[in-house]
DNA sequence: GCTTGACCTCAAGTTGACTTGAAGTGCTAA
DNA sequence: TTAGCACTTCAAGTCAACTTGAGGTCAAGC
């Protein structure tokens, strides 16, 4: 059991953010000591997971659906697997982007977009992208 | 040479977004036909790159610094390599997250955060994260 | 030459994810 | 028992990244 300042300290999230997450139902407190919220230790893992998923480009709403209220997702298995696939596509793209950036850092071409090697890298990076729904 | 509707169609970006990008200096038009903007073909690659970098979690400002105005970055080599490193860290995290999500989809535990296998996956996913500046 | 329609500008509105501020509350220690 | 302080709520503010809307303009086809 931790109060909000302990959780804040442990997670590196400001208390305002934790209150906000609780407000939108991403985390929950299990009671109060006085008027202070009390959190279970488990919440720490939950918060780490949320932070991670955010880096993956998921919105808080998507994350809520994926991890659910009690650690059980509120969306179905196939939707979850779809998210994982999405993530894998992104991972491949970002790997290529990383290579592209490294190339820009090292290449001496006037305009990197004109450099054939860079173009090849980007062609690869984007090849996997075709066919994606565009929001 | 393409006008904005052609570019919009080719890139899948709404015209409003293209105008916005031009306004903030991320892309540029090379002239007008009447009052319609004219873009060079090169802009298509630039837009793809922007979209890709955004997926990598970079802000439009960061992207502008990385690819610059004429295809030359406005930040230095070491800063670029740092961005690439950042991206590599993220790639590893997201790979683990993907595994975590797949596990949630398949695991039958009551609460996934309690599942030891899931915990292990997340521990790995987050292990690489320690030491990162937290904004 | 006149209408039409796709573009234009510029200001204001929207959304997601928070933060900030003002005013209140209740353990804790003197 | 009273002061202090860390928490509380709730409304409003902020920021990035766009979108929307009102009112204007120009080339093209009738």
């Amino acid at each position: 059991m931790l109060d909000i300042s302990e959780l804040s300290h442990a997670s590196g999230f400001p208390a305002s953010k934790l209150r906000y997450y609780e407000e939108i139902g991403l985390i929950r407190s299990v009671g109060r000591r006085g008027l202070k919220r009390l959190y279970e230790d488990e919440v720490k893992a939950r918060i780490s997971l949320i932070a991670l998923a955010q880096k993956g480009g998921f919105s808080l709403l998507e994350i809520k659906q994926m991890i659910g209220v009690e650690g059980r997702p509120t969306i179905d298995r196939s939707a979850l697997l779809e998210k994982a696939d999405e993530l894998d596509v992104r991972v491949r793209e970002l790997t290529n982007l990383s290579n592209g950036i490294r190339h820009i850092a090292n290449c001496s071409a006037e305009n990197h977009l004109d450099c054939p090697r860079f173009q090849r890298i980007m062609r690869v990076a984007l090849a996997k992208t075709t066919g994606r729904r565009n929001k």
Side-chain angles (χ1 to χ4, degrees), chain A:
Chain A
M1 288 293 189
L2 351 107
D3 67 24
I4 201 168
S5 66
E6 290 163 334
L7 183 58
S8 169
H9 187 258
S11 64
F13 281 33
S16 63
K17 198 166 174 173
L18 296 173
R19 276 185 222 109
Y20 173 66
Y21 280 6
E22 187 167 343
E23 189 187 329
I24 63 173
L26 257 183
I27 60 175
R28 62 185 195 115
S29 52
V30 286
R32 299 278 172 128
R33 172 159 48 221
L35 39 71
K36 291 184 184 184
R37 289 163 169 79
L38 284 180
Y39 296 97
E40 284 172 359
D41 233 66
E42 178 214 91
V43 174
K44 283 196 265 180
R46 202 174 167 83
I47 287 175
S48 304
L49 185 53
I50 292 167
L52 191 51
Q54 264 193 305
K55 289 190 200 163
F58 295 112
S59 70
L60 295 184
L61 179 58
E62 285 177 301
I63 294 170
K64 189 177 171 183
Q65 292 171 335
M66 286 191 288
I67 63 179
V69 173
E70 288 299 310
R72 269 181 310 282
T74 62
I75 56 176
D76 62 15
R77 217 180 82 88
S78 67
L80 272 178
L81 292 176
E82 217 172 273
K83 298 279 185 192
D85 288 343
E86 239 177 76
L87 216 38
D88 290 344
V89 169
R90 186 169 310 231
V91 161
R92 279 192 295 277
E93 288 173 345
L94 296 188
T95 302
N96 288 125
L97 178 59
S98 169
N99 291 334
I101 292 174
R102 267 178 231 287
H103 173 72
I104 291 182
N106 292 314
C107 176
S108 58
E110 264 300 280
N111 183 330
H112 296 284
L113 297 171
D114 290 344
C115 166
R117 214 173 93 68
F118 181 74
Q119 285 177 358
R120 198 179 50 72
I121 292 169
M122 285 304 111
R123 208 158 43 243
V124 172
L126 296 164
K128 317 280 186 177
T129 308
T130 51
R132 276 171 63 83
R133 47 128 215 217
N134 54 346
K135 184 203 143 191

